Amino acid sequence: MSEQTVDVTPVAAVTKQAPTKIVSSNHLVSERSAELSELEYALIMAGNAFNRWMMRCMMAAGAKDMTPIEVSLLHHVNHRERKKKLADICFVLNIEDTHVVTYALKKLVKAGLVQSEKAGKELLFSTTPAGQDLCMKYKEVRERCLIEVQVDSGIQNQAIGEAAQLLRNASGLYDTAARAAASL
């Protein structure tokens, strides 16, 4: 995982009347929404922290060298103990590049955490008992290391739920903008 150098120039230095905002790229700050640049910087920081967390949590649960995408896929395939098609996995996780998902699923199958079976022309994926056990060990580490910190920090569940809703809404905003950019 490579570290990025980030310019954290306060927006107030760029736009005279705006309060101080921390952004990653002051040249992208819009006078119409400096807050969107602030959100983007927060997404970069949170995304990198979350990816690092998933890898370290999985390592503490007993699985070495799993990438964030592999961790996400394992948990999603295990979700509700239902067999899942590749297209559905990509759709739910909002991943456009099916090749990345296919490669990660092959690694999970080879590791004995996920299994696949043919159903007509489709491959269906589900977790093996070893994959289910690993997900539960991950949950134990998550409870001990993450949930305890969240509870102790005073960050309220309602605030977390509101942030999650904002991020889902932002996801739609970026998806719409990506489609618009693709048509230019």
Side-chain angles (χ1 to χ4, degrees):
M1 209 178 329
S2 65
E3 296 288 327
Q4 291 182 343
T5 303
V6 178
D7 176 11
V8 291
T9 304
V11 173
V14 178
T15 59
K16 295 172 185 83
Q17 74 282 5
T20 300
K21 304 222 182 280
I22 299 175
V23 302
S24 66
S25 302
N26 66 351
H27 63 281
L28 297 178
V29 175
S30 170
E31 290 180 17
R32 295 186 296 167
S33 182
E35 291 79 6
L36 194 57
S37 294
E38 192 174 22
L39 175 67
E40 289 169 349
Y41 181 49
L43 286 170
I44 292 166
M45 290 178 13
N48 288 330
F50 183 63
N51 286 341
R52 185 172 44 256
W53 155 251
M54 285 191 297
M55 291 175 11
R56 300 272 165 71
C57 184
M58 191 54 84
M59 194 176 302
K64 308 278 188 256
D65 301 322
M66 283 182 70
T67 65
I69 190 74
E70 292 164 4
V71 175
S72 295
L73 289 172
L74 177 63
H75 288 301
H76 180 65
V77 169
N78 193 56
H79 178 61
R80 297 193 176 158
E81 299 178 17
R82 294 184 193 152
K83 297 174 183 172
K84 295 171 181 71
K85 297 186 292 187
L86 174 66
D88 293 336
I89 293 168
C90 291
F91 178 72
V92 170
L93 296 178
N94 200 19
I95 301 173
E96 188 173 8
D97 191 346
T98 58
H99 295 89
V100 169
V101 174
T102 300
Y103 178 72
L105 286 169
K106 284 180 182 178
K107 286 178 65 180
L108 291 171
V109 168
K110 186 176 180 183
L113 302 172
V114 169
Q115 59 195 1
S116 64
E117 67 180 68
K118 277 272 209 196
K121 294 180 182 181
E122 295 282 352
L123 268 182
L124 298 177
F125 296 92
S126 59
T127 47
T128 63
Q132 293 168 355
D133 289 344
L134 183 57
C135 286
M136 294 314 294
K137 288 176 186 169
Y138 183 101
K139 180 181 178 181
E140 291 170 12
V141 174
R142 183 177 184 273
E143 284 289 326
R144 199 169 86 219
C145 296
L146 180 64
I147 302 301
E148 288 295 323
V149 171
Q150 181 248 320
V151 169
D152 291 345
S153 74
I155 298 173
Q156 300 298 310
N157 287 330
Q158 181 179 350
I160 292 172
E162 290 167 359
Q165 182 62 47
L166 173 65
L167 291 174
R168 286 189 298 273
N169 291 340
S171 174
L173 176 72
Y174 282 102
D175 282 342
T176 299
R179 282 190 293 280
S183 69
L184 295 179

